[in-house]
């Protein structure tokens, strides 16, 4: 039985559709999955949607490849459920034909002719309106008996930053093919959710120049289209272990190896002089990287959005790691 | 020195590859965010500075990397890269692909002006030429074919588009072909050609059913646009398919070398695996794997476990009864040891991932590029990466 969720402190209370985007390699899918787990914790029900057919969610949750069907993939801390769905545009189109026009048979025939493939691939915006349509349908879906929303939140692992605005702005995109008619109406219904305060678009980035710049460009583009920017999730952040003074000295190349030698002797390690030299080289590299990251962080703050940070985990990403990231997002009130 | 230099598979020698005059095309492929463009640019710069007339064809590069090569806009014209050292007699040009313009040019080359105008105005063409996910791949290959044919450069280095999946890049031409050829064309042009109707009857589907669905769902205008599009395109398409096949064959020739680019991360290496298998199946010549952003240590003999244990000893000394001892250097040393332990764990993880890959693909040569302490956006940094690829020892960075 699904019990209504408790109120909680979150920056996104009232948001029911979380769209997660990011440059390739930033860990967009991982962040989306962690957010879904975080949102589900404490007895909520969350749907995690994948739209690019990569089966990244199945790999993360260590389950067999997911079909076009909502399946439970994880139990959240404190007893919530994460369901996952891989949306296939052709199947979504068949669904759509069946749902609104009772045309499933005709749809199947058209699939054989390659029409569905054609339509979902090159008809302007049709593919995107089908994918976003599936997400917004899940957001609006209510239990027939209780009248309550079936999902407390929907998280979408969306296309990368460079394509996100065009992907979400289905209204403008379908204008090329349909000025009136059912597709147009469908697009309007999608935009009612996506353009509303019920939706937030989060950007996943690393503390590196290129992803950060792309994030800022993406936010600007999104805002220009009148779509709701959410938060910035900074992924793979190293924890600062050095004091500010030591950090500054190391960044300038000036590590006090004499102090390291003393420390190493106290720790009882062999060959303290040689070890100190090696450690010193690593400290300098680390400090330079951290200094660079500090600049990037300042650049990101210019966007004026809430920033959340996920730690760099030393081991391979696994379920335990995912739960840890979900906990971080809860603590920082992103979920 | 590289950690774990034992159990090394064959090393990819990029210098041998770029110095060989028979190498005419290098294709860099791999999943998004692994440093494909950087690798392509670094190979191009190194080749030029070793005497080749090289051109780097990039698709959607990061702004600062593009700027480092003197590229400011998508304009389809190879431009000389300022700052490349031409002392060895080579040259370096670079260009950014303008996929829409490339597409327009093909249409113009194959259709009379009237028909071309008709095609350009069609909403389906607009979508196909600007946002269809396979178009970028297709146009990159088209441009590659053009550059090769012009014979102005003796080495072309292509950076493939950041595809949804690594395989898109090989599939795109065929996918595009599937739309613009065959059954669908016959159906959509059915009202114009009696053969189309017969074909539909043969399939057991009525033309009325088809038009019925499309009209109902999309509207009558859409059907008309679709028909105009395929009819207009039909005439142009023969040339298209032929060119796609030519380029495909060009990729299979001796003069081409594929370089698969990855980072030492699970997803990137999984994609790299797919790619290697796929290239093999398609009989595409694979030179090897470039593994970017590999971490190194200046102190490989101090293990993560020992480093962490030593850090713990220092931490206890600070808070425990021995706090009276001089604390000089303890905080700094503890931090350094913890950082070192993290680094060693990262190195161990990366090595495991690499071994996983090489045991599945033992014949694939690998070149490692150390993680750079700073982001790559100038020629000096590209040169350092080129040196690492060429087997010269690059500065171990971060």
């Amino acid at each position: 039985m699904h019990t209504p969720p408790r109120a909680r402190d979150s920056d996104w209370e009232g948001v029911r559709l979380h769209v997660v985007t990011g440059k390739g390699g930033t860990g967009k899918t991982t962040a989306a999955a962690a957010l879904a787990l975080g949102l589900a914790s404490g007895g909520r029900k969350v749907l995690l949607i994948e739209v690019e057919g990569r089966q990244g969610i199945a790999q993360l949750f260590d389950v067999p490849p997911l079909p076009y069907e909502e399946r439970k993939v994880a139990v959240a801390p404190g007893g919530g459920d994460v369901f996952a769905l891989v949306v296939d545009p052709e199947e979504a189109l068949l669904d759509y034909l069946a749902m609104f026009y009772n045309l499933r048979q005709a749809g199947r025939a058209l699939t054989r002719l390659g029409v569905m493939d054609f339509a979902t691939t090159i008809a302007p915006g049709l593919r995107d309106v089908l994918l976003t349509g599936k997400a917004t349908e899940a957001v609006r879906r209510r239990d027939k008996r209780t009248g309550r929303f079936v999902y407390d939140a929907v998280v979408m692992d969306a296309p990368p930053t460079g394509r996100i605005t065009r992907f979400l702005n289905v209204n403008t995109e379908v204008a090329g093919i349909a000025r009136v008619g059912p597709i147009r109406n469908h697009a309007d219904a999608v935009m009612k959710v996506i353009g509303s305060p019920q939706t937030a678009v989060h950007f996943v980035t690393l503390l590196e120049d290129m992803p950060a710049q792309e994030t800022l460009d993406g936010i600007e583009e999104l805002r220009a289209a009148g779509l709701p920017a959410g938060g910035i999730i900074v992924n793979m952040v190293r924890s600062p272990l050095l004091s500010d003074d030591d950090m500054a000295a190391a960044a300038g190349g000036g590590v006090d190896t004499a102090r390291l030698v003393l420390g190493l002797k106290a720790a009882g390690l062999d060959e303290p002089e040689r070890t100190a030299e090696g450690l010193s080289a690593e400290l300098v590299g680390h400090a330079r990287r951290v200094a660079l990251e500090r600049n990037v962080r300042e650049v990101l703050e210019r966007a004026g959005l809430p920033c959340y940070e996920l730690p760099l985990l030393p081991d391979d990403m696994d379920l335990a790691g995912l739960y840890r990231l979900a906990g971080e997002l809860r603590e920082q009130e992103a979920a | 020195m590289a950690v774990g230099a034992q159990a090394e598979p064959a090393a990819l020698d990029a210098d041998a590859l770029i110095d060989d005059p028979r190498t005419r095309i290098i294709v860099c492929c791999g999943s998004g965010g692994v440093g494909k463009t950087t690798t392509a640019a670094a190979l191009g710069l190194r080749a030029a500075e070793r005497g080749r007339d090289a051109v780097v064809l990039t698709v959607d590069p990061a702004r600062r990397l593009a700027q480092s090569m003197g590229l400011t806009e998508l304009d389809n014209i190879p431009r000389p890269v300022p700052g490349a050292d031409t002392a060895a007699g080579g040259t370096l040009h670079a260009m950014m692909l303008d996929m829409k313009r490339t597409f327009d040019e093909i249409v113009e080359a194959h259709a009379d002006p009237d028909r071309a105008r008709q095609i350009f105005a069609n909403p389906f063409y607009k979508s196909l030429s600007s946002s269809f996910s396979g178009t970028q791949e297709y146009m990159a290959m088209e441009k590659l074919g053009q550059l090769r044919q012009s014979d102005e450069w003796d080495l072309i280095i292509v950076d493939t588009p950041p595809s949804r999946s690594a395989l898109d890049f090989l599939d795109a031409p065929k996918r595009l072909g599937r739309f613009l050829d065959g059954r669908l064309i016959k159906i959509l042009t059915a009202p114009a050609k009696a053969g189309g109707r017969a074909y539909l009857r043969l399939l057991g589907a009525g033309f009325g059913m088809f038009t019925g669905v499309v009209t109902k769902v999309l509207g009558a205008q859409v059907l008309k646009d679709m028909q105009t599009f395929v009819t207009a395109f039909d005439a142009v398409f023969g040339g298209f398919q032929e060119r796609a096949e030519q380029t495909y064959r060009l990729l299979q020739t001796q003069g081409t070398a594929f370089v698969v680019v990855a980072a030492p991360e699970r997803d990137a290496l999984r994609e790299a695996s797919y790619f290697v298998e796929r290239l093999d199946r398609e009989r595409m010549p694979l030179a090897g794997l470039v593994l970017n952003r590999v971490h190194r240590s200046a102190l490989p003999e101090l293990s993560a476990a020992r480093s962490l244990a030593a850090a713990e000893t220092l931490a206890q000394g600070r808070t425990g009864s021995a706090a009276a001892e001089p604390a000089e250097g303890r905080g700094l040393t503890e931090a350094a040891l913890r950082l070192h332990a993290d680094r060693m764990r990262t190195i161990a993880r990366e090595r495991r991932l690499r071994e996983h890959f090489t045991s599945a693909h033992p014949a694939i040569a690998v070149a490692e590029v150390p993680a750079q302490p700073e982001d790559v956006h100038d020629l000096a940094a590209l040169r350092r990466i080129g040196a690492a690829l060429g087997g010269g020892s690059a500065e171990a960075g971060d």
Side-chain angles (χ1 to χ4, degrees):
Chain A
M1 264 313 291
H2 177 226
T3 47
R6 289 176 284 122
R8 63 162 103 187
D9 283 334
S10 157
D11 295 347
W12 309 105
E13 208 54 64
V15 169
R16 305 195 56 246
L17 176 60
H18 297 263
V19 178
V20 181
T21 182
K23 181 176 158 51
T26 56
K28 170 170 72 73
T29 305
T30 307
L35 184 61
L37 264 179
L39 288 166
S41 65
R44 295 178 176 215
K45 189 171 167 185
V46 174
L47 179 67
L48 176 58
I49 294 184
E50 177 164 354
V51 295
E52 291 189 291
R54 259 197 284 224
Q55 292 291 343
I57 292 175
Q59 279 156 13
L60 265 177
F61 285 98
D62 203 14
V63 295
L66 294 161
Y68 178 60
E69 186 186 289
E70 288 157 39
R71 281 212 180 156
K72 186 163 151 180
V73 290
V75 175
D81 290 328
V82 176
F83 282 71
L85 169 70
V86 173
V87 190
D88 173 79
E90 269 195 57
E91 289 289 331
L93 181 52
L94 286 177
D95 244 16
Y96 173 83
L97 290 176
M99 213 185 317
F100 294 101
Y101 303 100
N102 206 14
L103 282 172
R104 190 172 289 277
Q105 277 311 103
R108 295 262 173 235
L110 293 180
T111 303
R112 282 199 304 276
L113 295 173
V115 174
M116 294 310 207
D117 200 6
F118 180 87
T120 55
T121 314
I122 85 158
L126 184 58
R127 181 189 186 90
D128 294 348
V129 84
L130 288 165
L131 298 174
T132 49
K134 193 67 202 170
T136 52
E137 182 271 317
V139 168
R140 290 189 311 250
R141 197 188 307 157
R142 287 176 188 272
D143 186 299
K144 285 202 184 75
R145 208 168 36 78
T146 63
R148 286 206 198 97
F149 285 122
V150 171
Y151 291 107
D152 296 303
V154 175
V155 178
M156 182 196 254
D157 177 11
T161 317
R163 288 197 280 127
I164 191 64
T165 297
R166 202 156 65 190
F167 175 73
L168 295 174
N169 210 4
V170 289
N171 242 346
T172 318
E173 288 301 305
V174 300
I177 50 162
R179 281 166 210 90
V180 289
I183 283 286
R184 178 81 228 184
N185 297 343
H186 191 52
D188 287 342
V190 170
M191 281 320 281
K192 244 184 221 146
V193 175
I194 288 183
S196 80
Q198 279 187 80
T199 299
V201 182
H202 309 296
F203 291 79
V204 183
T205 183
L206 305 177
L207 289 176
E208 290 171 17
D209 280 351
M210 286 183 200
Q213 188 56 51
E214 211 167 285
T215 299
L216 293 185
D217 293 348
I219 292 169
E220 199 177 303
E221 215 183 321
L222 194 75
R223 282 176 169 158
L227 295 171
I232 296 176
I233 300 174
V234 183
N235 201 4
M236 304 184 209
V237 177
R238 279 161 251 246
S239 50
L241 287 165
L242 292 181
S243 69
D244 285 355
D245 285 351
D246 285 342
M247 192 68 89
V255 178
D256 186 350
T257 39
R259 278 171 67 208
L260 280 177
V261 171
L262 279 178
L264 289 169
K265 279 182 179 157
L269 283 174
D270 313 329
E271 296 187 77
E273 280 81 13
R274 219 175 62 76
T275 306
E277 240 165 71
L279 288 182
S280 155
E282 289 183 3
L283 277 178
V284 171
H286 171 77
R288 290 201 172 138
R289 186 81 237 174
V290 170
L292 211 77
E293 289 180 350
R294 197 165 291 164
N295 292 342
V296 175
R297 208 179 257 123
E298 278 164 18
V299 166
L300 285 171
E301 276 161 11
R302 276 182 227 148
L305 298 178
C307 285
Y308 310 100
E309 299 206 345
L310 295 177
L312 174 69
L313 303 181
D315 298 310
D316 287 334
M317 178 54 64
D318 56 8
L319 270 179
L322 206 55
Y323 278 90
R324 188 173 154 207
L325 297 184
E328 289 283 345
L329 288 173
R330 279 299 306 276
E331 255 168 53
Q332 296 175 39
E333 302 187 351
Chain B
M1 196 193 86
V3 180
Q6 75 275 18
E8 207 83 338
L12 168 64
D13 186 351
D15 281 349
L17 185 67
I18 56 181
D19 288 347
D20 185 345
R22 286 169 301 182
T23 308
R24 301 298 303 273
I25 294 172
I26 297 175
V27 184
C28 296
C29 45
S31 56
V34 295
K36 272 193 305 268
T37 311
T38 307
T39 304
L43 282 173
L45 180 62
R46 190 164 179 87
E49 296 190 338
R50 292 169 75 88
R52 299 294 299 268
D53 288 318
V55 61
V56 177
L57 164 57
T58 72
V59 181
D60 200 16
R63 195 186 302 164
R64 292 181 69 179
L65 182 63
Q67 280 167 359
S68 76
M69 292 190 293
L71 296 172
T72 50
E73 55 186 327
L74 296 165
D75 64 357
N76 261 355
I77 301 165
R79 309 237 174 232
V81 176
D85 179 2
T86 54
T91 55
L92 180 62
H93 284 72
M95 67 162 276
M96 279 195 274
L97 178 76
D98 180 339
M99 90 175 164
K100 183 160 190 334
R101 190 179 299 185
T102 307
F103 210 150
D104 289 355
E105 282 165 9
I106 303 173
V107 171
E108 276 164 357
H110 289 86
D112 58 69
D114 255 7
R115 202 183 280 276
R117 254 196 307 280
Q118 220 182 345
I119 292 176
F120 292 153
N122 190 284
F124 281 87
Y125 175 75
K126 285 182 189 161
S127 159
L128 184 69
S129 62
S130 59
S131 57
F132 173 51
S133 68
T135 303
Q136 213 173 29
E137 285 86 343
Y138 187 96
M139 292 306 140
M141 289 304 103
E142 168 68 29
K143 204 72 207 172
L144 168 65
Q146 289 175 10
L147 288 175
R148 181 69 184 82
Q149 214 167 21
S150 80
D151 216 18
E152 271 180 72
W153 290 275
D154 68 4
L155 180 63
I156 304 165
I157 298 173
V158 208
D159 150 39
T160 59
S163 302
R164 191 158 43 99
S165 108
L167 307 179
D168 275 7
F169 147 72
L170 287 172
D171 291 332
K174 276 184 214 150
R175 257 175 80 210
L176 199 60
R178 202 170 67 231
F179 293 139
L180 304 177
D181 194 8
R183 295 200 290 197
L184 192 59
I185 293 265
K186 292 195 180 74
I187 295 158
L188 286 170
T189 53
K193 293 178 188 171
R197 285 177 193 277
Y199 192 76
L200 272 169
R201 267 199 300 279
L202 217 79
L203 280 164
F207 185 70
M209 182 274 287
F210 171 72
T211 50
V213 173
V214 176
T215 311
K216 206 163 176 182
V217 179
L218 296 171
Q221 184 59 39
V222 177
L223 183 66
K224 213 169 142 255
D225 284 342
M226 266 167 110
Q227 283 169 341
T228 331
F229 172 69
V230 292
T231 314
F233 225 87
D234 202 16
V236 192
F237 186 62
F240 248 85
Q241 193 72 319
E242 204 176 292
R243 296 169 79 87
E245 276 161 23
Q246 262 175 23
T247 310
Y248 189 84
R249 282 196 299 275
L250 178 66
L251 292 178
Q252 288 176 320
T253 58
Q254 285 282 314
T256 300
F258 279 83
V259 171
V260 176
V261 184
E265 286 146 22
R266 201 166 38 173
D267 292 349
L269 279 168
R270 188 187 296 122
E271 288 278 307
S273 264
Y274 283 140
F275 225 114
V276 163
E277 284 155 23
R278 180 67 189 274
L279 289 171
D280 185 51
R281 244 196 343 270
E282 309 271 343
R283 295 200 178 78
M284 298 283 177
L286 175 62
L289 175 81
V290 168
L291 202 53
N292 276 325
R293 296 189 212 127
V294 177
H295 288 84
R296 303 266 167 94
S297 170
L299 199 60
E301 60 278 7
L302 181 59
S303 73
R306 277 183 63 220
S307 192
L308 209 54
E312 292 296 330
T313 308
L314 288 175
Q316 275 164 17
R318 271 193 308 159
T319 54
S321 56
E325 275 180 46
E328 184 60 21
R330 280 171 179 257
L332 177 66
T333 312
E334 187 197 331
L337 289 166
R338 287 193 193 280
L339 276 172
H340 178 72
D342 275 355
R343 178 182 293 261
M344 292 306 285
R345 280 167 80 182
T346 302
I347 291 171
R349 183 192 65 213
E350 291 179 355
R351 194 192 310 165
R352 271 198 310 278
L353 288 167
R354 178 186 157 153
E355 276 164 8
H356 188 80
F357 178 88
T358 48
S359 59
H361 308 284
I364 307 297
V366 181
E368 284 190 358
V369 179
Q372 305 293 309
E374 278 157 36
D375 295 324
V376 176
H377 36 61
D378 57 24
L379 290 189
L382 286 177
R383 232 169 245 132
R384 275 200 299 279
I385 291 174
L389 288 167
S393 65
E395 291 285 300
D398 179 42

